[in-house]
Amino acid sequence: MSDLPSSISYMTQATRNGNQERESFHKFFECWIVEQDHHLHELVSASKDIEDRHQHHGGATAELNGRVLRPLLERVVQHYEHYYRAKSRWAKNDVLSMFNPSWRSSLEDAFLWIGGWRPSMAFHLLYSKSGLQLEARAIDDLILGLTNGDLSDLSTGQLGRVDALQKVTLREEKEITEKLAKLQETVADSSMVELSHAVSELIQEEAGDRVAEQEGRVEAALAPKEEGLVGVLEKADELRMKTLKGVIDILSPTQGVHFLIAAAELHLRVHDWGKKRDARHHQADSGGGVNGSNGHHRQ
Amino acid sequence: MAGMCYGVNMGETETSAPVEPSSRSARRRRMEIHQFNFVPTDSSVAPPPLEGGGGGRRKRQRILPAVVPVLSPMECMNGVQNCQVVQQKENQVAGELPPATKALDLSASPSCSANENGGNPDCPKFGMTSVCGRRRDMEDSVAIHPSFCRPDSNSTAGLHFFGVYDGHGCSHVASRCRDRMHEIVKHEFENGGSPSWERTMSESFSKMDKEVGEYCNGGAAVFISGCRCELQTPQCDAVGSTAVVAVVTPEKIVVSNCGDSRAVLCRNGVAIPLSVDHKPDRPDELNRIQEAGGRVIFWDGPRVLGVLAMSRAIGDNYLKPYVIPEPEVTITERTAEDECIILASDGLWDVVSNETACGVARMCLQSRKPPSPPRSPGNDITVTEAGESSDKACSDASILLTKLALARHSTDNVSVVVVDLRRI
């Protein structure tokens, strides 16, 4: 991977041109997801190498860990970091689009938590994948303590650390949710209620020019709310990244590869499925000619 | 006491039936190592407790006919690690146990010192795992106190305490049980003058329940704040916990249970439940609730007043007198064939049958050699660094059972304690 990832070039170019609108992050996302697919291929092929070595040499060797697996894990994790860096830059200019992302399907949208994946989901992903790998093994091997290096081999120490990380993550996730709740409630604070009343009266009086005069006040009232959203989004994205890195840190390189494969597969497939559903609904709507779009369909 | 007959004729409760997803049956069959048929017994035919000859300070209650075992001291290779576990509990982080054990400062442990335990020849080996799993709140607590008290001042053989508490509504009743139950039992045992273990345990559970109730009514400051309900009284009243407590003496296993956590004995490969889950639809429990004027309503399963899915618990003031803290106590004579006991919350039992659990635990204990010889210098797995946790084989068993529960989609907190009963 010596060539510059296209999402990076796109980000530099977009920032250089001051091209900050919603459309540009959409394009960045599409580049990024293609790169994620490349990484998935690399991860899968690494996991096959590991399996080969396991059969012939009884496990991933230090050499394989150092030369291949660790750099690969690092690269994939950096790719996530790169995503959140770009997202944070765009969010500062158009935070609302991050909460209503046009680059996501409605399916993904419905399951988002503050503009992204729910951090505590990482543990469900880990337990599900680990469970599937555990079930694929013979109970005798497990009882004898034979290891094959995948997620079924989570040790006592690892499970303890995962559990501790999960508790911290859940707590922080709840705190951020609470922050968002407080912010959302300020939509009905007295300044907003007063302002909406004032403007409504003007509209009733058909005093159009004076409605326009209020625009400044409207902007002033909404600005801190948007700033609040930027702050909450930043915290949410930080927690996502912290959780991902935290899990990878607990896992061995081989397990890390398995975990990142599961994460990428889930992300990419849910995205595909969502897009297909959207396309189907879109077709049905336009084909039937009834009521066109309800405004929630994505391209 | 609901007078169930404990022994080979033990009736397996509905809830303990394995919940097996249908696919992958071949693999599953391998997991189901032992299959036994349990014949349900009518509660009325349960033999009355026999009064044993008063050789000791206490009258002995024999329920299980048992061979009097030849006592040989068990090794206590893990006294220090045991203490670490106890202290870890007192740091309130059951699930974080394993990684933290290394760094713990033993001197800070008030209830168990390395010296006290290291010299105890009767100290059982055990392993414990307790994780949040797929739930958004951790409401399980585990307490392990080897040698928590002595039968009398002359005795060197200690009594060992193991408790699993699965909270509902919030975690604070379960945490309170974890912190206090063994102290209450010890006090009750030493000062209560109760003639029997049944009375001792029943009194202890009742005191535990009163303590929890008092804390809710004004004494809340004593609790470490930060629990979900913040001890606001109306919610606080709706908080409770299961309690399954095993006191292991040189001769017997005393299991006291309230709620749907469970203790199972593995004896010569046979899974013998030492407690029966308190489910509201258990016929005797249903009767008791109805006689008290309560009702069991089906709302996502049978629930007392349509609310609580168990018929006994510590706490839950608002459901009294239908939900009671009175434990069912079983006293089982230890035999040379006893392999281990497993105490666990329903996070395990909902998805793993008694038989499977015993099969897995016993095989882990039997393969007690360091399980994974280092294969290659580059083996990147940290699973097998031996001697890190309380007892390797027991820990292996508890973690494997926990992973099995998670693999079988347990949606609850999972807490598992495995105590090695083999006399070496």
Side-chain angles (χ1 to χ4, degrees):
Chain A
M1 288 270 295
S2 55
D3 53 323
L4 196 64
S6 52
S7 67
I8 287 188
S9 52
Y10 191 77
M11 186 170 83
T12 13
Q13 182 204 330
T15 344
R16 199 183 302 126
N17 300 343
N19 179 7
Q20 300 281 8
E21 72 256 26
R22 164 186 296 228
E23 199 55 22
S24 61
F25 189 80
H26 191 147
K27 283 188 182 139
F28 166 84
F29 178 80
E30 310 237 290
C31 293
W32 189 87
I33 212 163
V34 170
E35 288 156 9
Q36 188 180 34
D37 196 46
H38 292 325
H39 282 148
L40 175 58
H41 284 110
E42 281 188 72
L43 287 163
V44 169
S45 105
S47 79
K48 294 210 169 104
D49 282 355
I50 299 165
E51 208 175 309
D52 268 8
R53 302 234 181 174
H54 199 85
Q55 274 165 7
H56 298 113
H57 310 279
T61 60
E63 184 263 335
L64 183 69
N65 278 340
R67 188 175 54 80
V68 182
L69 299 187
R70 285 185 207 281
L72 175 59
L73 290 175
E74 214 166 285
R75 222 164 45 238
V76 175
V77 170
Q78 276 170 0
H79 189 238
Y80 281 100
E81 284 178 318
H82 165 58
Y83 175 81
Y84 288 111
R85 261 198 314 277
K87 191 178 168 190
S88 144
R89 251 191 245 186
W90 262 282
K92 289 198 175 87
N93 292 285
D94 183 8
V95 68
L96 298 184
S97 69
M98 295 300 164
F99 280 84
N100 183 21
S102 61
W103 48 92
R104 300 269 183 198
S105 61
S106 328
L107 175 72
E108 291 167 283
D109 203 10
F111 289 98
L112 289 187
W113 172 81
I114 315 192
W117 52 276
R118 188 177 270 282
S120 53
M121 223 169 63
F123 303 95
H124 289 248
L125 178 68
L126 178 63
Y127 286 147
S128 297
K129 188 71 187 181
S130 161
L132 289 166
Q133 294 186 331
L134 186 85
E135 292 200 320
R137 296 183 58 188
I139 186 78
D140 305 0
D141 286 1
L142 296 168
I143 285 165
L144 290 171
L146 298 178
T147 61
N148 71 359
D150 67 13
L151 291 167
S152 64
D153 280 335
L154 279 181
S155 70
T156 310
Q158 286 178 317
L159 191 58
R161 288 173 66 196
V162 166
D163 187 58
L165 181 65
Q166 182 185 18
K167 283 176 191 153
V168 173
T169 304
L170 277 166
R171 201 185 61 228
E172 291 183 19
E173 188 181 288
K174 285 172 188 171
E175 282 166 11
I176 298 170
T177 302
E178 198 57 23
K179 270 198 174 69
L180 179 65
K182 282 184 180 148
L183 184 66
Q184 287 172 328
E185 285 165 354
T186 68
V187 171
D189 64 17
S190 19
S191 72
M192 290 286 280
V193 172
E194 193 270 329
L195 189 59
S196 64
H197 175 66
V199 174
S200 301
E201 282 203 319
L202 292 175
I203 291 170
Q204 272 174 6
E205 293 162 17
E206 294 180 0
D209 46 337
R210 286 172 61 206
V211 170
E213 278 167 28
Q214 297 291 328
E215 297 253 307
R217 279 188 69 201
V218 172
E219 282 306 307
L222 292 179
K225 317 276 189 252
E226 285 198 29
E227 271 166 41
L229 285 177
V230 173
V232 170
L233 182 67
E234 208 160 87
K235 283 207 155 29
D237 283 342
E238 268 170 26
L239 182 58
R240 280 186 266 267
M241 203 56 227
K242 195 170 93 176
T243 308
L244 181 73
K245 282 173 144 180
V247 171
I248 296 293
D249 280 350
I250 294 169
L251 302 179
S252 72
T254 299
Q255 293 170 330
V257 166
H258 287 291
F259 178 75
L260 288 175
I261 288 174
E265 285 176 345
L266 187 65
H267 183 228
L268 292 169
R269 296 297 77 82
V270 171
H271 184 64
D272 290 348
W273 299 335
K275 292 195 86 142
K276 264 187 206 141
R277 289 172 88 95
D278 284 351
R280 227 171 26 231
H281 286 204
H282 192 69
Q283 240 173 8
D285 282 355
S286 49
V290 191
N291 285 342
S293 155
N294 62 12
H296 272 70
H297 297 301
R298 318 281 178 186
Q299 303 83 349
Chain B
M1 281 293 289
M4 300 293 281
C5 176
Y6 291 90
V8 190
N9 279 343
M10 184 62 229
E12 182 160 290
T13 57
E14 239 178 56
T15 50
S16 64
V19 178
E20 309 276 6
S22 55
S23 63
R24 275 186 280 268
S25 51
R27 179 74 58 206
R28 283 289 154 60
R29 253 175 266 123
R30 302 188 67 178
M31 295 283 205
E32 294 292 343
I33 293 153
H34 304 279
Q35 295 288 352
F36 299 100
N37 293 318
F38 289 96
V39 184
T41 59
D42 191 298
S43 55
S44 62
V45 302
L50 303 172
E51 293 292 322
R57 198 174 129 256
R58 295 169 178 279
K59 292 179 185 170
R60 305 224 163 127
Q61 314 243 326
R62 294 217 171 97
I63 292 181
L64 259 193
V67 184
V68 176
V70 180
L71 290 183
S72 61
M74 298 168 77
E75 279 178 11
C76 182
M77 295 151 68
N78 55 323
V80 172
Q81 285 85 354
N82 287 352
C83 292
Q84 290 170 329
V85 172
V86 172
Q87 197 210 335
Q88 182 72 21
K89 297 276 79 26
E90 280 157 11
N91 288 345
Q92 313 215 347
V93 225
E96 289 164 33
L97 166 71
T101 40
K102 278 180 179 166
L104 284 174
D105 175 12
L106 285 176
S107 61
S109 170
S111 67
C112 174
S113 75
N115 288 343
E116 182 191 328
N117 248 329
N120 183 350
D122 193 43
C123 182
K125 295 177 199 160
F126 62 85
M128 187 279 282
T129 311
S130 180
V131 297
C132 194
R134 289 193 179 83
R135 260 186 79 113
R136 290 184 63 74
D137 296 290
M138 181 56 172
E139 294 177 342
D140 278 9
S141 284
V142 177
I144 296 176
H145 298 275
S147 306
F148 81 115
C149 74
R150 300 185 184 288
D152 55 65
S153 53
N154 300 325
S155 171
T156 50
L159 308 180
H160 315 296
F161 182 99
F162 304 91
V164 169
Y165 312 102
D166 176 359
H168 48 260
C170 185
S171 58
H172 68 255
V173 171
S175 327
R176 196 70 198 159
C177 289
R178 174 197 60 206
D179 296 342
R180 285 284 296 141
M181 183 72 97
H182 64 285
E183 293 173 0
I184 296 173
V185 172
K186 176 179 160 72
H187 183 266
E188 221 27 59
F189 180 80
E190 288 171 353
N191 309 308
S194 301
S196 69
W197 270 112
E198 287 187 354
R199 280 288 301 281
T200 302
M201 295 312 295
S202 168
E203 281 297 311
S204 302
F205 273 53
S206 159
K207 286 198 169 144
M208 187 71 243
D209 181 70
K210 277 202 192 80
E211 258 196 46
V212 168
E214 280 161 21
Y215 281 111
C216 278
N217 298 324
V222 181
F223 277 118
I224 298 151
S225 63
C227 61
R228 186 151 45 93
C229 70
E230 288 168 357
L231 297 155
Q232 291 143 357
T233 303
Q235 288 92 328
C236 188
D237 248 20
V239 176
S241 176
T242 72
V244 62
V245 169
V247 174
V248 177
T249 80
E251 302 88 26
K252 41 192 167 196
I253 307 157
V254 181
V255 168
S256 316
N257 178 56
C258 229
D260 60 3
S261 299
R262 193 184 309 153
V264 176
L265 169 69
C266 182
R267 174 176 285 171
N268 199 18
V270 181
I272 302 170
L274 300 184
S275 65
V276 185
D277 303 355
H278 291 124
K279 290 292 188 186
D281 59 345
R282 213 178 92 175
D284 52 347
E285 288 293 280
L286 182 62
N287 264 340
R288 184 183 60 70
I289 292 164
Q290 284 171 343
E291 271 165 27
R295 292 189 60 192
V296 173
I297 298 165
F298 275 74
W299 180 269
D300 186 23
R303 287 165 189 274
V304 179
L305 304 188
V307 182
L308 188 64
M310 66 190 77
S311 57
R312 300 193 191 192
I314 307 283
D316 290 302
N317 271 330
Y318 73 126
L319 289 176
K320 289 195 167 78
Y322 322 123
V323 171
I324 55 170
E326 172 72 27
E328 282 184 295
V329 183
T330 66
I331 298 160
T332 310
E333 293 291 329
R334 290 176 63 177
T335 74
E337 294 184 315
D338 292 355
E339 285 155 313
C340 62
I341 42 173
I342 304 167
L343 276 73
S345 58
D346 61 346
L348 176 75
W349 302 122
D350 279 352
V351 291
V352 177
S353 68
N354 295 352
E355 292 71 32
T356 303
C358 278
V360 168
R362 110 186 257 249
M363 289 176 75
C364 283
L365 295 189
Q366 284 171 355
S367 68
R368 43 176 315 146
K369 292 273 164 274
S372 176
R375 284 164 210 265
S376 64
N379 191 340
D380 62 2
I381 303 310
T382 53
V383 180
T384 50
E385 68 268 295
E388 182 185 350
S389 46
S390 47
D391 174 75
K392 189 74 180 80
C394 290
S395 276
D396 283 351
S398 71
I399 195 159
L400 187 49
L401 288 171
T402 303
K403 289 201 286 188
L404 192 55
L406 291 170
R408 293 184 176 184
H409 321 287
S410 175
T411 51
D412 207 345
N413 304 145
V414 183
S415 299
V416 183
V417 176
V418 176
V419 184
D420 190 345
L421 295 176
R422 292 173 302 171
R423 305 173 189 278
I424 301 152

